[in-house]
Amino acid sequence: MGLRLRPVNAEFYDLFTEAAAHLVGGVALVAEMLSESADKEDVAQRMRAAEHAADETTHAIIRKVNGTFVTPFDREDIYALASGLDDVMDEMEEVVDMILLYHVKSMPAEVLGQVEVLQQCADLTATSMPRLRSMQSLEDYWIEINRLENAGDKNHRRIMARLFSGEYKALEVLKLKDIVETLESAIDAFETVANTVEQIAVKEG
Amino acid sequence: MGLRLRPVNAEFYDLFTEAAAHLVGGVALVAEMLSESADKEDVAQRMRAAEHAADETTHAIIRKVNGTFVTPFDREDIYALASGLDDVMDEMEEVVDMILLYHVKSMPAEVLGQVEVLQQCADLTATSMPRLRSMQSLEDYWIEINRLENAGDKNHRRIMARLFSGEYKALEVLKLKDIVETLESAIDAFETVANTVEQIAVKEG
Amino acid sequence: MGLRLRPVNAEFYDLFTEAAAHLVGGVALVAEMLSESADKEDVAQRMRAAEHAADETTHAIIRKVNGTFVTPFDREDIYALASGLDDVMDEMEEVVDMILLYHVKSMPAEVLGQVEVLQQCADLTATSMPRLRSMQSLEDYWIEINRLENAGDKNHRRIMARLFSGEYKALEVLKLKDIVETLESAIDAFETVANTVEQIAVKEG
């Protein structure tokens, strides 16, 4: 039998898994918001509720860190991971809110590609969080997230080129650019989470 | 009598209090710059002087850290707090400079709401800095700053929706968006300061 | 003879010097891209190759840290310096790619001033990296980079004022603003590298 230097504190892993599950739900709402037939007010309201639920999970993690003497990995890494996951949700909530507030009618089709990248990031993050417990099989996760972020970055530049092509009026470009950049920030935020997991795994591994 | 593990080094607290006082002065200049009757050249010049004075305080803190063997709290936290306070001033100076350089004639009225949020953040930060000495009664400060940042964020989105409403020409939207986003960065910079104080209080408390 | 607490591991210094040399090459490609007669497709392709080569150097540093028991300075500082140098290249590659993708015809002349700032930053960084070995004569480097960043910031604001002057159409302003802001991010990224070097020097000095 191996030696355990860190206690088994299963609740931390459950809470990180819960945080990632909120992100899977959040991406679904972003996708719904982009469909032409969406009731935008209703989707935005459900997004606010989802973002609130994610906040609750973040606070539960932070309360748990503050009330636990020996944590499964470094306190500052738990904070970084919890707030990293929370940041993804904040970006996605902002995307949905902007689509509502700016009265956006239609978006270039390439935007759907970014939502697909987000969906893959969320699914991958959700299946990887429970593996923090064993610290096994995590490398594929952060490599794949980095690959997805690269793909998202390339797609983002193509979307920007399309927005600047002359097809859209300047004011419409301004609105769409804001939304498209926030989508990219959400993808970047998934990469930050993966980088945090990599650092934890290197330290603890 | 309690046990003191850290020396009483009052000058650090005085310097942080001085740094926060510069921010109160800075917000007043931002507010003055937004009044229609302002002599913009003159306000911008006073803002540059205020930013320069704030820089001097920041450098005094850093010199003091480098020349002190046992600091009242961790060296890196002192750096983080000093540079965090300095960042707020930089953002406010940028707001004033942009209003001058871009020849902005008028701003949507909601911008005044953001300046009020800034004022409350500055006042709260200024009254809280002296409490670093006892590390008492700081929790209300960072909770309230977080609440103000949330209010600022909501207000920011409303301003953006107004800018995109069709009331302003695209080029004017571009200018105003830049300024409004820098105002929001100043509010965010206050929140970063509050988060740093929270981390210090948790560590030292 | 002095006492060495850290091993002489010359390869680390060679790799940092190599990383900085990539940046010198990168700035030259940015400058080439801005000349009216440039074959933009060709320059952008060479930039992608240069960015790829810089990535290889970054990965070589990270592999070396992970495989070395006692590093010449703190592991986290080596990571920070390697990724800081890599970030500069990413920003410069983005500038070149944007000029290609957005079909930019001409830029305000002041943009050349920013490229000159970048060139000076790159040259200074390249001549300073080998000095990490002795940790001598580095102070002038970070002071000068900070001065250059300030100059770049002032120049950036002048460029923005020019873009907003009414001389350019809103859609053109949007394109140029994106490029000009990424140029400024590249300068900021050089400053982040210099700040990292300063922190290392203060710690190890």
Side-chain angles (χ1 to χ4, degrees):
Chain A
M1 270 176 66
L3 180 69
R4 282 208 166 271
L5 295 172
R6 297 277 197 177
V8 186
N9 198 327
E11 283 170 66
F12 274 112
Y13 309 110
D14 291 348
L15 285 167
F16 283 126
T17 303
E18 188 180 301
H22 287 309
L23 300 183
V24 174
V27 179
L29 288 164
V30 172
E32 197 179 335
M33 193 72 177
L34 285 168
S35 89
E36 307 254 328
S37 62
D39 175 348
K40 291 197 170 67
E41 283 281 2
D42 177 66
V43 180
Q45 199 174 318
R46 281 184 284 138
M47 187 77 206
R48 276 191 289 274
E51 195 264 333
H52 188 75
D55 270 353
E56 289 299 309
T57 304
T58 308
H59 290 140
I61 295 171
I62 288 173
R63 272 196 308 274
K64 196 158 181 57
V65 170
N66 292 339
T68 302
F69 191 64
V70 185
T71 50
F73 37 90
D74 283 352
R75 236 158 257 276
E76 60 187 30
D77 292 327
I78 294 177
Y79 282 122
L81 188 51
S83 73
L85 289 161
D86 200 60
D87 288 346
V88 179
M89 199 68 174
D90 288 349
E91 299 291 349
M92 296 199 297
E93 191 270 333
E94 198 175 347
V95 167
V96 167
D97 203 34
M98 282 171 162
I99 294 174
L100 179 71
L101 282 173
Y102 297 176
H103 302 287
V104 170
K105 293 284 175 289
S106 78
M107 309 261 284
E110 292 91 339
V111 168
L112 295 178
Q114 291 300 73
V115 176
E116 263 168 53
V117 169
L118 268 183
Q119 265 163 339
Q120 291 180 52
C121 285
D123 291 345
L124 208 53
T125 305
T127 55
S128 302
M129 285 300 113
R131 290 191 211 135
L132 283 170
R133 188 161 177 173
S134 63
M135 287 288 169
Q136 301 297 311
S137 321
L138 281 164
E139 197 173 348
D140 286 355
Y141 151 66
W142 68 67
I143 291 173
E144 180 63 9
I145 293 280
N146 275 279
R147 196 195 62 73
L148 284 164
E149 193 277 332
N150 272 323
D153 190 45
K154 283 208 179 66
N155 195 32
H156 176 72
R157 294 188 194 182
R158 272 196 301 271
I159 298 174
M160 293 310 301
R162 171 101 191 258
L163 290 182
F164 288 150
S165 67
E167 186 181 342
Y168 298 88
K169 288 199 175 156
L171 194 65
E172 199 63 20
V173 173
L174 265 164
K175 285 184 200 178
L176 294 175
K177 183 172 183 286
D178 239 25
I179 294 166
V180 159
E181 283 175 350
T182 309
L183 267 178
E184 214 216 353
S185 298
I187 298 173
D188 288 348
F190 271 118
E191 194 189 24
T192 301
V193 168
N195 290 344
T196 303
V197 169
E198 180 176 5
Q199 276 166 27
I200 295 172
V202 166
K203 242 197 240 180
E204 305 288 327
Chain B
M1 271 177 62
L3 180 70
R4 283 209 166 268
L5 295 173
R6 297 277 198 177
V8 186
N9 198 326
E11 283 170 68
F12 274 111
Y13 309 110
D14 292 348
L15 285 167
F16 283 125
T17 302
E18 188 179 300
H22 288 308
L23 300 184
V24 174
V27 179
L29 288 163
V30 172
E32 197 180 335
M33 193 72 177
L34 285 167
S35 89
E36 306 255 329
S37 62
D39 176 347
K40 292 197 171 67
E41 282 282 2
D42 177 66
V43 180
Q45 200 173 318
R46 282 185 283 139
M47 185 77 207
R48 276 190 290 272
E51 195 265 331
H52 188 75
D55 269 353
E56 290 299 309
T57 304
T58 308
H59 290 140
I61 296 172
I62 288 174
R63 272 196 308 273
K64 194 155 182 60
V65 170
N66 291 339
T68 302
F69 192 63
V70 186
T71 50
F73 36 89
D74 283 352
R75 234 158 259 278
E76 60 187 29
D77 292 327
I78 295 177
Y79 281 122
L81 187 52
S83 73
L85 289 161
D86 199 61
D87 288 345
V88 179
M89 199 68 174
D90 288 348
E91 299 290 348
M92 296 198 298
E93 190 271 333
E94 198 174 348
V95 167
V96 167
D97 202 34
M98 282 173 163
I99 295 174
L100 178 72
L101 281 173
Y102 298 177
H103 302 287
V104 170
K105 293 286 175 287
S106 78
M107 308 261 285
E110 292 91 337
V111 168
L112 295 178
Q114 292 299 75
V115 176
E116 265 168 52
V117 169
L118 268 183
Q119 265 161 338
Q120 292 180 50
C121 286
D123 291 345
L124 208 52
T125 305
T127 55
S128 302
M129 285 300 113
R131 290 193 209 132
L132 283 170
R133 189 161 177 172
S134 64
M135 287 289 168
Q136 301 296 311
S137 320
L138 282 163
E139 197 174 349
D140 286 354
Y141 151 66
W142 67 69
I143 289 173
E144 180 63 8
I145 292 281
N146 274 278
R147 196 195 61 74
L148 284 164
E149 192 277 332
N150 271 323
D153 190 46
K154 282 206 180 68
N155 196 31
H156 176 73
R157 294 188 195 182
R158 273 196 301 270
I159 298 174
M160 293 308 304
R162 170 103 190 257
L163 290 182
F164 288 151
S165 66
E167 189 181 339
Y168 298 88
K169 288 202 175 153
L171 195 65
E172 200 63 20
V173 173
L174 264 164
K175 284 184 198 177
L176 295 175
K177 183 172 182 285
D178 239 25
I179 294 166
V180 160
E181 283 175 350
T182 309
L183 268 178
E184 212 216 354
S185 298
I187 298 173
D188 288 347
F190 271 117
E191 193 189 25
T192 301
V193 168
N195 290 343
T196 303
V197 169
E198 180 177 5
Q199 277 167 26
I200 294 171
V202 167
K203 243 197 240 180
E204 305 288 324
Chain C
M1 268 176 64
L3 180 69
R4 282 208 167 271
L5 295 172
R6 296 278 198 178
V8 185
N9 198 328
E11 283 170 67
F12 274 110
Y13 310 110
D14 291 348
L15 285 167
F16 283 125
T17 303
E18 188 180 300
H22 288 308
L23 300 183
V24 174
V27 180
L29 288 164
V30 172
E32 196 179 335
M33 193 71 176
L34 285 167
S35 89
E36 308 254 330
S37 62
D39 175 348
K40 292 195 170 67
E41 282 281 5
D42 177 66
V43 180
Q45 199 173 320
R46 282 185 283 138
M47 186 77 206
R48 276 190 290 274
E51 195 265 333
H52 187 75
D55 270 353
E56 291 298 310
T57 304
T58 308
H59 290 139
I61 295 171
I62 288 172
R63 272 195 309 273
K64 195 156 182 59
V65 170
N66 291 339
T68 302
F69 192 64
V70 186
T71 50
F73 36 89
D74 284 351
R75 234 160 259 277
E76 60 188 29
D77 292 327
I78 295 177
Y79 281 122
L81 187 53
S83 72
L85 289 161
D86 199 60
D87 288 345
V88 180
M89 199 67 174
D90 288 347
E91 299 290 349
M92 297 199 297
E93 190 271 333
E94 199 174 348
V95 167
V96 167
D97 203 34
M98 281 171 162
I99 295 174
L100 178 72
L101 281 174
Y102 297 176
H103 302 288
V104 170
K105 293 284 177 286
S106 77
M107 309 262 285
E110 292 91 338
V111 168
L112 294 178
Q114 291 300 73
V115 176
E116 263 168 52
V117 169
L118 268 183
Q119 265 163 339
Q120 291 180 52
C121 285
D123 291 346
L124 209 51
T125 305
T127 55
S128 301
M129 285 300 113
R131 291 192 210 133
L132 283 170
R133 188 163 177 171
S134 64
M135 287 287 167
Q136 301 297 311
S137 321
L138 282 164
E139 198 174 349
D140 286 354
Y141 151 66
W142 69 67
I143 290 173
E144 179 62 10
I145 293 281
N146 275 279
R147 197 195 60 74
L148 284 165
E149 193 275 334
N150 271 323
D153 190 45
K154 282 208 181 68
N155 196 31
H156 176 72
R157 295 187 194 183
R158 272 197 301 272
I159 297 174
M160 293 309 302
R162 170 101 190 258
L163 290 182
F164 288 150
S165 66
E167 186 181 342
Y168 298 88
K169 289 200 174 153
L171 194 66
E172 200 62 21
V173 173
L174 264 164
K175 285 184 199 178
L176 295 174
K177 183 172 183 284
D178 239 25
I179 294 166
V180 160
E181 283 175 351
T182 310
L183 268 178
E184 212 215 355
S185 298
I187 298 173
D188 287 349
F190 270 117
E191 194 188 24
T192 301
V193 168
N195 290 344
T196 303
V197 169
E198 180 176 6
Q199 277 167 27
I200 294 171
V202 167
K203 243 197 242 180
E204 306 288 327

